[in-house]
Amino acid sequence: MKISQLEGKRVALWGWGREGRAAFAVLRARLPSLGLSLFCPASEVEAARAETQGALDVRGEPTAEALASFEVVIKSPGISPYLPIALAAAGQGTVFISGTALWFAEHADADGTVRDTICVTGTKGKSTTTALVAHLLRAAGHRTGLVGNIGLPLLEVLDPQPAPAYWAVELSSYQTGEVARSGAHPQVAVVLNLFPEHLDWHGSEQRYIEDKLQLVTGAAPRIAVLNAADPHLAALSLPASEVVWFNQPQGWHMRGDIVHRAEQAVFDTRNTPLPGRHNRGNLCAVLAALEALGLDAVALAPAVQDFRPLPNRLQRIGEADGLTYVNDSISTTPHASLAALECFAGQRIALLVGGHDRGLDWTDFMQHMAHDVPPVEIVTMGSNGPRIHAMLQPLADAGRFGLHAAADLPDAMALARRALGEQGGVVLLSPGAPSYGAYRDYVARGRHFAELAGFDPDMISAIPGIGIG
């Protein structure tokens, strides 16, 4: 659906975060006569009315009946379409779309292709991978937009002048289905990996996987770049797309620390600024995607050396009193916590895990800790902290690692320092869980971690390269 098709319809916004504000700004500019309503929490109603100076009919939280009174509802990504009130309204004919869907529809050519666009999704590593795509495109001299879930809503960059030559778009599982619903086809779509996540939004692991894969199964990109090592991806059949595989011997893959293109050794990743082996492995996805665009990926690979790592992703924020503090606040799955641990193999580690409990299974984490354990002290915290603690207690009793229960992040930091003692080591915040409840988002959690460690949170929060450049 294009923005012009909203003219004359009954339209509401649902959610007044950055995405909602971006949608409001675009609709006021493009369709000034369009009447708009807004659903938001009761605590935000007065502020939204003041901010929009009467241009919005601001209401509180919606009911199914209220949603069903509109033909189109533009919802923010964090609001699940599987909520009972949304399903009930959809059953009565209300169409739910998002800023993501509007952006892709506006940028599609006559045949539906959104040219010169690389979309990236995956459970782990998608932000760094998308930023790497933009970094290498810019290194090749191309004006590039780094946008999307990485921190810049697509509708904030709907029609920039001059337009970029390429778009690098990060998409969360909340957004991938919206690309499919837009009717547009990305030129290149990259899927890195799939692990259970966001089950509270999607409702089940199966639906999470199906929604995530909509970027390639529903949106039918011209070229799909897929990880051959992921069993969910390896089983896919995509007859409407050209499929390029990475992490297999005939394509871009790692042998030890060396990136190869088939038999050709291309790049030694050992001294790159990429945090973690999984991110260095995702460099193969980046190079495969650039090659799919027709660029010389072999020539561009060395420019990785100038890449600046992103905040909150295995980010070394500093050292103090013999301790190194690493902020991996974006870690929201147990698999991400395991990947973070691997990065510091051989070092003494205090691992801080736990947060909002959305029912993820920690069995794989427990099994890994039973068989392949670095010298680690585990500190549990947050609403799912007691559940994780109880699961790990038998292993701790057997002497596999130290285990400590904290009430919150400040308490966890104190316990971590005490556990590592004068010998020092790494204090690693890699929670494996969302920040909801205790913090507004993972960025706020990372900033608090930096403050508690004695560092300026403003110095560690900016995302390098975001926007158009």
Side-chain angles (χ1 to χ4, degrees), residues 267-284:
F267 189 69
D268 188 333
T269 66
R270 281 174 290 189
N271 296 317
T272 65
L274 296 176
R277 181 172 175 78
H278 63 286
N279 277 320
R280 286 182 280 155
N282 286 341
L283 175 58
C284 297

Side-chain angles (χ1 to χ4, degrees), residues 296-311:
D296 186 347
V298 172
L300 287 173
V304 173
Q305 296 286 25
D306 301 323
F307 179 72
R308 291 173 57 200
L310 305 186

Side-chain angles (χ1 to χ4, degrees), residues 354-424:
H356 171 69
D357 195 347
R358 57 182 175 189
L360 290 186
D361 188 355
W362 282 73
T363 302
D364 286 351
F365 182 92
M366 182 188 70
Q367 291 175 344
H368 180 92
M369 300 306 291
H371 298 103
D372 187 12
V373 188
V376 64
E377 302 284 336
I378 299 177
V379 185
T380 61
M381 59 186 182
S383 63
N384 67 347
R387 180 165 68 89
I388 301 169
H389 195 279
M391 181 177 288
L392 294 175
Q393 188 69 65
L395 296 175
D397 291 343
R400 300 295 291 168
F401 44 78
L403 184 61
H404 315 267
D408 51 23
L409 183 55
D411 188 25
M413 294 280 279
L415 288 172
R417 291 182 177 117
R418 194 176 309 143
L420 291 176
E422 294 183 357
Q423 296 179 66

